[in-house]
Amino acid sequence: MNRDVIIACDFPSAAETLDFLELFRAEPRKPFLKIGMELYYAEGPAIVREIKRRGHPVFLDLKLHDIPNTVRRAMGVLARLDVDMCNVHAAGTVEMMRAAREGLTRADGTRPLLIAVTQLTSTSEERMRRELLVDATMEETIRRYALNTREAGLDGVVCSPLEAGLVHEACGAGFLTVTPGVRFAEGASGDQVRVTTPARAREIGSDYIVVGRPVTGADDPVAAYRRCVAEFLGSR
């Protein structure tokens, strides 16, 4: 299984995104990029096609969550964009996740990696209990959602790096953990509450880490990306 660092391209426009990518023109390996709601809703499918044209793997992070038939049809549209990874909310139920997988699968049987969000890294256990009325611990909730995701036939989950180990314990080493909430040791946590460093994420068992502001907001984004890769993968 290949581990990797995914840069979260949380920019408001195509122009800013492509200017940022120009910084990586000389990199021998094109960074894996995450396109989230802000950029996709601002620019639409065209930005995905342009980034793919430039040779970058793409994680399309739209977190679909709707009735099964709507998700199935939406995934059929996204399958045509040739992305490498996309996601849904695990809270949408096993039936919805199965529908997502069916919609994403092309006529030849191939599809991008499909993962499910367990709990957002901005959600604390206290908020989960008080506001979402989930009467279970964070670990119990993550484990149950991960097991549901595996039952639906998906490839893995989005979770905090702090929960990657328990997900692998519950679902097996081949079940992917894609983990935002990664910061350098000296960095601020921002609006995320369940965070750790790239090196610690590797030790815990994350397969992919998603890093945004520590790279995109750095004085030297290329150097920050290289540092992140070195700390997470152990080498360049």
Side-chain angles (χ1 to χ4, degrees):
M1 181 186 301
N2 293 324
R3 289 181 167 182
D4 210 347
V5 174
I6 302 175
I7 302 175
C9 289
D10 295 327
F11 298 105
S13 69
E16 291 179 63
T17 303
L18 298 179
D19 284 346
F20 174 76
L21 295 186
E22 281 299 307
L23 300 173
F24 295 85
R25 177 183 287 273
E27 289 298 286
R29 183 170 63 94
K30 298 293 186 182
F32 203 138
L33 305 176
K34 180 179 80 72
I35 298 174
M37 295 179 188
E38 180 182 14
L39 182 58
Y40 188 81
Y41 293 159
E43 301 291 346
I47 187 63
V48 178
R49 296 189 181 101
E50 177 58 24
I51 290 173
K52 287 293 297 183
R53 188 189 68 79
R54 293 178 180 224
H56 294 272
V58 170
F59 168 23
L60 186 57
D61 177 27
L62 299 183
K63 302 181 182 74
L64 273 64
H65 187 175
D66 212 311
I67 64 172
N69 192 50
T70 296
V71 171
R72 179 186 292 106
R73 294 173 67 175
M75 281 295 182
V77 175
L78 299 183
R80 299 198 291 269
L81 292 178
D82 194 32
V83 297
D84 301 272
M85 181 187 295
C86 56
N87 62 0
V88 297
H89 267 291
T93 74
V94 171
E95 181 184 3
M96 189 208 74
M97 290 189 282
R98 283 178 177 149
R101 188 197 68 219
E102 292 165 4
L104 194 62
T105 303
R106 307 179 186 97
D108 63 1
T110 63
R111 62 169 173 81
L113 292 171
L114 180 58
I115 58 179
V117 177
T118 53
Q119 287 290 334
L120 299 173
T121 51
S122 59
T123 302
S124 66
E125 184 171 308
E126 187 274 332
R127 281 186 171 179
M128 189 182 71
R129 289 176 178 268
R130 176 170 53 85
E131 299 177 19
L132 305 182
L133 302 182
V134 175
D135 189 20
T137 67
M138 181 64 74
E139 288 193 357
E140 289 168 341
T141 303
I142 299 300
R143 183 180 290 107
R144 180 69 264 169
Y145 282 14
L147 288 168
N148 288 348
T149 302
R150 187 183 65 174
E151 180 182 344
L154 275 60
D155 302 294
V157 294
V158 181
C159 63
S160 158
L162 304 179
E163 291 123 21
L166 74 88
V167 169
H168 285 307
E169 180 182 348
C171 299
F175 192 72
L176 298 178
T177 53
V178 180
T179 62
V182 174
R183 297 285 185 269
F184 294 124
E186 70 278 11
S189 62
D191 56 1
Q192 296 175 317
V193 298
R194 302 188 338 271
V195 301
T196 194
T197 64
R200 182 59 181 148
R202 181 187 72 239
E203 293 169 1
I204 295 170
S206 296
D207 297 302
Y208 294 86
I209 58 172
V210 181
V211 184
R213 284 164 285 186
V215 172
T216 59
D219 292 335
D220 185 342
V222 174
Y225 170 70
R226 289 174 177 170
R227 175 186 172 186
C228 199
V229 168
E231 291 186 12
F232 182 60
L233 300 182
S235 63
R236 178 62 181 149

